[in-house]
Amino acid sequence: MSYNVHGLSDDRPALIELVRELAPDVLVVQEAPRRFRWRHKCAALADDAGLVVAAGGLPALGNLVLVSMRVKVHETWCMRFPLTPGRHMRGAAFMRGSVRGGRFTVSGSHLATDPAERPAQAMLWKDALDAIEGPVIAAGDLNEGPGGGAWRTVEDGLVSSAAGRFTFPATLPARLIDGLFVTPDITVEKYEVVESDLARRASDHLPVLADLRI
């Protein structure tokens, strides 16, 4: 599941209820806590949702990976993109894990809103993804849709489940800017944009949910 939670500034009880209802094994979060008391806030979010923190937070500049107890975490790391003066610093979180022997690496990122800044960030993230061996899952808020250059950069060589379902804004979706990308050795058995009342209350983005077979 990939979800931009809008800095936890919307209906938090609805957010927690939605995540517990969907019960993902892996939840990739954008706009997670990244400032004062970020460790406590990320841990509290995970605990409330019935998950545990695997990677991210401040080191990944708001990108966070939470997992269920079914997931064994083998390795985690983070990267930061170069700072453009006057803009927000951004980055990505990575986790290498396994479920019942099926090994994979998951990464989450949130690219810039500035179209001039975004392509370079997409290329840096893509280079990091390409360097990973084995099955890879990339999820994030790209701030542009499938026709954009950054989206095409990330998607190159991967399978995207963009199905024309819009994810932003949650109240009246008009843009697909939240993507899920997997290496061809992963089978996408089900993909959906969650459009429930809970989802519309929980954040300004709708979450992307997928069942994957590794």
Side-chain angles (χ1 to χ4, degrees):
M1 180 176 175
S2 182
Y3 206 177
N4 183 323
V5 298
H6 198 205
L8 304 179
S9 61
D10 296 305
D11 189 333
R12 184 189 175 102
L15 172 66
I16 297 303
E17 183 178 349
L18 177 67
V19 174
R20 282 189 169 271
E21 177 183 290
L22 298 174
D25 280 317
V26 178
L27 172 59
V28 182
V29 180
Q30 301 89 42
E31 293 195 28
R34 56 176 284 182
R35 301 186 186 279
F36 180 65
R37 298 178 71 232
W38 68 270
R39 288 185 179 87
H40 171 79
K41 292 176 181 177
C42 289
L45 172 63
D47 186 58
D48 289 346
L51 302 169
V52 295
V53 174
L58 176 62
L61 302 165
N63 297 290
L64 182 67
V65 181
L66 306 179
V67 298
S68 75
M69 296 302 292
R70 294 180 69 235
V71 179
K72 183 175 182 179
V73 178
H74 300 279
E75 183 183 1
T76 66
W77 68 98
C78 298
M79 68 179 296
R80 294 185 173 188
F81 305 139
L83 175 64
T84 300
R87 307 293 302 177
H88 290 295
M89 181 175 280
R90 298 179 184 269
F94 298 81
M95 181 211 74
R96 183 173 287 114
S98 63
V99 176
R100 295 183 178 178
R103 289 179 172 263
F104 60 92
T105 302
V106 62
S107 179
S109 189
H110 183 187
L111 303 186
T113 57
D114 183 359
E117 186 181 15
R118 196 160 53 237
Q121 293 179 352
M123 183 59 70
L124 288 170
W125 188 31
K126 177 63 172 177
D127 287 346
L129 295 171
D130 286 348
I132 299 170
E133 295 184 359
V136 175
I137 303 159
D141 175 358
L142 275 61
N143 267 310
E144 66 177 46
W151 185 291
R152 295 197 305 270
T153 294
V154 175
E155 186 181 39
D156 184 37
L158 302 177
V159 177
S160 169
S161 292
R165 302 285 292 277
F166 299 140
T167 60
F168 181 84
T171 51
L172 191 62
R175 301 173 64 200
L176 170 61
I177 60 176
D178 301 273
L180 179 73
F181 311 86
V182 300
T183 46
D185 51 4
I186 296 177
T187 301
V188 180
E189 297 194 325
K190 182 180 178 182
Y191 167 89
E192 66 176 308
V193 174
V194 182
E195 300 183 74
S196 65
D197 289 339
L198 275 176
R200 297 185 190 283
R201 286 164 28 211
S203 175
D204 65 339
H205 285 245
L206 296 175
V208 172
L209 183 68
D211 289 336
L212 306 177
R213 180 162 54 86
I214 298 172

